[in-house]
Amino acid sequence: MFQVMLPIIAPIFISVGLGWLWVKSGRSMDVTAVNMMVTNIGAPCLVFSSLARVSVSGAALADMAAATALALAGFMALGAVVLRVAKLSSSTYLPSLVFTNCGNMGLPLSLFAFGQAGLDLAAAYFAVSMVVMMVLGIWLVSGEPTPKAALTMPLPYAVAAALMFRGAGVEVPAWLYNSTDLLGGMTVPLMLLTLGVSLASMRVKTFRRASALAVLRLAMGAAVGFALAEVFAFDGVARGVLIIQCAMPPAVFNYLFAQTYRREPEEVAGVIVLSTLISFATLPLLLSFVLI
């Protein structure tokens, strides 16, 4: 089993570690600029090329999108209850319990574990999660429900374009597919490197609370992922991808939102850092279940 998991886990650890070492060695990286490039160019191209290709059926993509929506709803409901009982601010902590690092970690893990079909299904989860995060995530931290952020990002339009090609039964022109596939290829390595850079710059302020919420996020994610895989009767690649994406640590975007709207970013950073570190330790166990 170790020989099976090492090729999956090693690229993640090495890429994140290189990003972390880059900062710790005194070098700088404009994370904001890189994130903007990935969000506005790399990710839309990756999603388009993934959804437009025929490695997975339209029904499989639709099922994954539906499972993603239910997973996010489940995270929000469970997280809201726990935070209310614990008397913690939903505006500060709930986004980190709902929106996972399904891009930086989930996409490469799905690719290395299940190949191109895994990446294509993971891209469907990522697309739904990102669009919802840009609406509900911003609403949670700002208190102002608005679809503006989602409508101004290219990702929803990349999804719509890919679905139009698939729905019409028209093959994507080779020049367009090759271009988006090439540009989308930068997404996974840049996401992993920036994750390492971000972890190197974040600090844990309140260890006990952050560690408790970190364990909650990972445990809740795995539980919901396994449950929904049973509900949708997923097996093989679809089952593995859904569980992996649900069980990821919080997205770094949650920290950026907390900074922008002044929702205790140090507290959010602690949850993200500890969740990510714990997930590095639990990844072999998670993969041992999804690769069965």
Side-chain angles (χ1 to χ4, degrees), residues 132-232:
V132 174
M133 181 170 64
M134 288 301 170
V135 179
L136 291 183
I138 292 178
W139 169 50
L140 287 171
V141 295
S142 70
E144 298 177 1
T146 172
K148 182 179 178 180
L151 293 176
T152 55
M153 64 187 299
L155 187 60
Y157 304 105
V159 173
L163 294 180
M164 285 175 61
F165 275 105
R166 292 189 68 121
V170 176
E171 185 176 352
V172 178
W175 66 267
L176 178 58
Y177 178 81
N178 290 341
S179 298
T180 54
D181 190 48
L182 176 66
L183 290 168
M186 73 176 175
T187 305
V188 168
L190 282 180
M191 280 182 162
L192 289 171
L193 288 171
T194 54
L195 175 59
V197 171
S198 298
L199 291 176
S201 60
M202 291 181 186
R203 297 291 180 270
V204 179
K205 182 180 179 181
T206 310
F207 184 84
R208 180 178 296 180
R209 179 160 57 233
S211 59
L213 291 172
V215 171
L216 171 64
R217 157 90 289 277
L218 297 175
M220 177 177 66
V224 170
F226 277 104
L228 286 177
E230 292 297 321
V231 170
F232 281 83

Side-chain angles (χ1 to χ4, degrees), residues 167 228 272 288:
L228 286 177
I272 294 173
S288 69

Side-chain angles (χ1 to χ4, degrees), residues 9-291:
I9 298 174
I12 309 295
F13 287 0
I14 292 171
S15 300
V16 174
L18 286 174
W20 186 86
L21 287 172
W22 184 268
V23 173
K24 292 301 182 180
S25 64
R27 297 178 176 89
S28 62
M29 178 186 289
D30 190 340
V31 176
T32 301
V34 174
N35 280 333
M36 288 291 289
M37 185 180 295
V38 169
T39 302
N40 292 289
I41 299 176
C45 287
L46 174 67
V47 168
F48 176 84
S49 61
S50 296
L51 299 185
R53 79 177 94 234
V54 294
S55 64
V56 294
S57 68
L61 292 174
D63 286 345
M64 182 59 68
T68 304
L70 285 177
L72 296 175
F75 298 152
M76 187 166 292
L78 293 171
V81 170
V82 171
L83 293 176
R84 187 175 182 84
V85 171
K87 298 181 180 179
L88 295 175
S89 170
S90 291
S91 297
T92 299
Y93 297 105
L94 188 55
S96 295
L97 297 178
V98 176
F99 302 109
T100 68
N101 209 337
C102 56
N104 298 59
M105 289 181 64
L107 290 177
L109 274 172
S110 299
L111 172 63
F112 298 137
F114 301 107
Q116 192 59 58
L119 178 62
D120 294 347
L121 288 172
Y125 187 108
F126 171 71
V128 173
S129 182
M130 279 292 292
V131 172
V132 174
M133 181 170 64
M134 288 301 170
V135 179
L136 291 183
I138 292 178
W139 169 50
L140 287 171
V141 295
S142 70
E144 298 177 1
T146 172
K148 182 179 178 180
L151 293 176
T152 55
M153 64 187 299
L155 187 60
Y157 304 105
V159 173
L163 294 180
M164 285 175 61
F165 275 105
R166 292 189 68 121
V170 176
E171 185 176 352
V172 178
W175 66 267
L176 178 58
Y177 178 81
N178 290 341
S179 298
T180 54
D181 190 48
L182 176 66
L183 290 168
M186 73 176 175
T187 305
V188 168
L190 282 180
M191 280 182 162
L192 289 171
L193 288 171
T194 54
L195 175 59
V197 171
S198 298
L199 291 176
S201 60
M202 291 181 186
R203 297 291 180 270
V204 179
K205 182 180 179 181
T206 310
F207 184 84
R208 180 178 296 180
R209 179 160 57 233
S211 59
L213 291 172
V215 171
L216 171 64
R217 157 90 289 277
L218 297 175
M220 177 177 66
V224 170
F226 277 104
L228 286 177
E230 292 297 321
V231 170
F232 281 83
F234 283 167
D235 58 9
V237 176
R239 174 181 177 272
V241 167
L242 178 63
I243 294 170
I244 285 175
Q245 292 288 56
C246 285
M248 289 296 95
V252 177
F253 266 109
N254 295 310
Y255 175 67
L256 301 179
F257 289 161
Q259 277 188 316
T260 300
Y261 295 100
R262 299 178 182 178
R263 297 290 186 180
E264 302 180 83
E266 299 86 359
E267 294 286 338
V268 176
V271 179
I272 294 173
V273 170
L274 291 178
S275 292
T276 304
L277 294 178
I278 294 171
S279 72
F280 287 160
T282 58
L283 271 179
L285 180 62
L286 177 67
L287 288 173
S288 69
F289 281 106
V290 302
L291 293 175

